[in-house]
Amino acid sequence: MATKIWSVGAGKGGVGKTFTVSSLGITLSKLNHNVLLLDLDLSGANLHSTFGLPLTQNNLRKFVSGEKSIKELITLTGIPRVSYVQGFWDNWTPSELNERMITELFSQVRELPFDFVIVDLGAGPSPTYLEVFKRSDERILIGNSEPTTVEKTYRFIETYVCSTLKERVSSEQYLALEKALRDYRWNQGKGYFSFRNFLKTQIGSDLNYSQVFEERPIHFIVNSSRSRLDQDLGFSMKSVCTKYYDFPLNYLGPIDFDNAVWQAVRNCEPVLIEKPFTPIAGQFLSIVKTMTHTNFHSNLYKAVI
């Protein structure tokens, strides 16, 4: 099986992104997959703390400087079939990756002897995160029901849509799209706005909008769910993305709030190792089985309008 790259991002920090990355990796390992976790949080990596591991100079900085390959940076986590690459912790130094670096990163990662590589991105749609997100085989956004998180999740999706379209239309057409969006916001969103209709009627693009985003859907997980309303948030956001962005957001499901999580974080041990029988273990198992099912994408596209 060819190495699959999953990227995990978020519109806002503190929503459980790193917790999700480690939990997805551990769950995949329990299904006998070899997994590499790559910490690409440029604002200050902390995936190592999840596993109770110390900081090391043998981190992603060595790759960026050209001193070492990704393969030379791989470290064991102590959990069978789960390895990781430590990210930047000296974030007082500029850390953005240019296109050449990202291309080389993906080239090296594709050659590694792992079934899955899960990339832990920092919060927000920075140019580096967007480029890695777009190049990955699967793209996962983590959010919760806090209003600020919901708003920033929508902003991430909108930026992702615009960034993807920018590659497919002319510079003049893209400037027209930006102007239309600003005018729409300035008028406080009066009336109905559709990216798909705008491309067709305003900038004269014959772009196959549906095909573009069928190839690049985003999967969404609601973390720290405390109620049925929280669980249903994913369905509501999916509906909004369809109506406003014409975008196929795929809701993978909720992860319940559980005191075992913060207790495990405090003890610097993954919750699925310290508390293997907590209900959230079953939720991660369900998500992973869904994403690794052979008909995952064919079933997803059937749901796209």
Side-chain angles (χ1 to χ4, degrees):
M1 181 177 80
T3 302
K4 296 293 185 183
I5 301 176
W6 295 1
S7 286
V8 181
K12 182 176 181 291
V15 297
K17 176 174 48 59
T18 299
F19 155 69
T20 300
V21 167
S22 61
S23 297
L24 289 173
I26 292 168
T27 303
L28 283 165
S29 75
K30 291 180 178 179
L31 297 176
N32 294 318
H33 294 294
N34 292 316
V35 184
L36 176 68
L37 308 180
L38 175 60
D39 197 337
L40 199 60
D41 187 341
L42 305 181
S43 63
N46 61 2
L47 184 59
H48 59 281
S49 298
T50 301
F51 296 97
L53 299 171
L55 288 170
T56 174
Q57 293 189 13
N58 196 44
N59 59 43
L60 201 62
R61 180 72 64 192
K62 298 287 186 179
F63 166 78
V64 171
S65 66
E67 296 176 60
K68 291 189 176 183
S69 67
I70 292 295
K71 185 176 181 179
E72 294 175 297
L73 301 177
I74 296 173
T75 302
L76 300 176
T77 64
I79 298 172
R81 293 182 293 278
V82 181
S83 303
Y84 88 111
V85 172
Q86 191 171 121
F88 299 103
W89 47 265
D90 54 339
N91 57 317
W92 55 84
T93 304
S95 304
E96 286 288 339
L97 274 63
N98 59 37
E99 188 171 347
R100 179 192 61 79
M101 292 176 185
I102 295 172
T103 298
E104 182 61 26
L105 175 69
F106 271 74
S107 176
Q108 292 190 24
V109 165
R110 295 285 188 192
E111 298 298 320
L112 295 174
F114 293 94
D115 301 316
F116 294 91
V117 175
I118 306 179
V119 184
D120 184 1
L121 300 173
S126 78
T128 295
Y129 300 156
L130 280 176
E131 189 62 27
V132 172
F133 212 63
K134 286 186 287 186
R135 295 190 187 202
S136 298
D137 298 304
E138 305 292 353
R139 291 152 289 274
I140 303 171
L141 271 183
I142 310 301
N144 59 33
S145 60
E146 294 179 5
T148 54
T149 302
V150 173
E151 181 179 4
K152 288 197 172 185
T153 301
Y154 282 132
R155 296 292 79 79
F156 186 108
I157 293 170
E158 185 174 275
T159 306
Y160 173 77
V161 169
C162 288
S163 178
T164 302
L165 292 177
K166 189 174 184 179
E167 301 170 355
R168 308 295 184 100
V169 299
S170 69
S171 57
E172 293 79 10
Q173 289 173 328
Y174 187 73
L175 288 173
L177 175 61
E178 285 188 332
K179 181 179 184 303
L181 286 174
R182 290 194 183 97
D183 290 345
Y184 182 78
R185 291 283 157 72
W186 182 255
N187 293 323
Q188 299 182 10
K190 295 177 181 178
Y192 178 74
F193 185 90
S194 164
F195 276 88
R196 188 196 312 263
N197 291 339
F198 182 83
L199 289 172
K200 289 181 178 178
T201 62
Q202 299 296 316
I203 66 177
S205 173
D206 58 357
L207 179 70
N208 188 333
Y209 191 100
S210 298
Q211 182 180 357
V212 169
F213 290 110
E214 281 181 4
E215 295 170 356
R216 300 184 178 187
I218 289 178
H219 312 297
F220 183 57
I221 295 174
V222 175
N223 189 36
S224 298
S225 172
R226 296 172 183 259
S227 67
R228 182 58 183 268
L229 285 176
D230 290 352
Q231 294 173 13
D232 290 344
L233 172 65
F235 296 112
S236 298
M237 294 187 68
K238 178 177 181 178
S239 177
V240 169
C241 285
T242 299
K243 293 177 181 178
Y244 179 81
Y245 302 107
D246 306 298
F247 182 80
L249 184 71
N250 178 44
Y251 181 37
L252 291 172
I255 300 297
D256 290 345
F257 173 84
D258 193 329
N259 278 320
V261 174
W262 70 263
Q263 291 169 352
V265 170
R266 184 183 60 186
N267 296 333
C268 293
E269 184 172 3
V271 67
L272 298 191
I273 298 300
E274 186 172 277
K275 306 285 186 181
F277 303 110
T278 186
I280 63 175
Q283 292 172 324
F284 275 110
L285 181 60
S286 177
I287 288 171
V288 164
K289 284 186 173 181
T290 297
M291 293 190 66
T292 55
H293 194 280
T294 53
N295 293 325
F296 176 47
H297 278 277
S298 61
N299 291 336
L300 172 61
Y301 294 156
K302 287 178 184 177
V304 175
I305 64 169

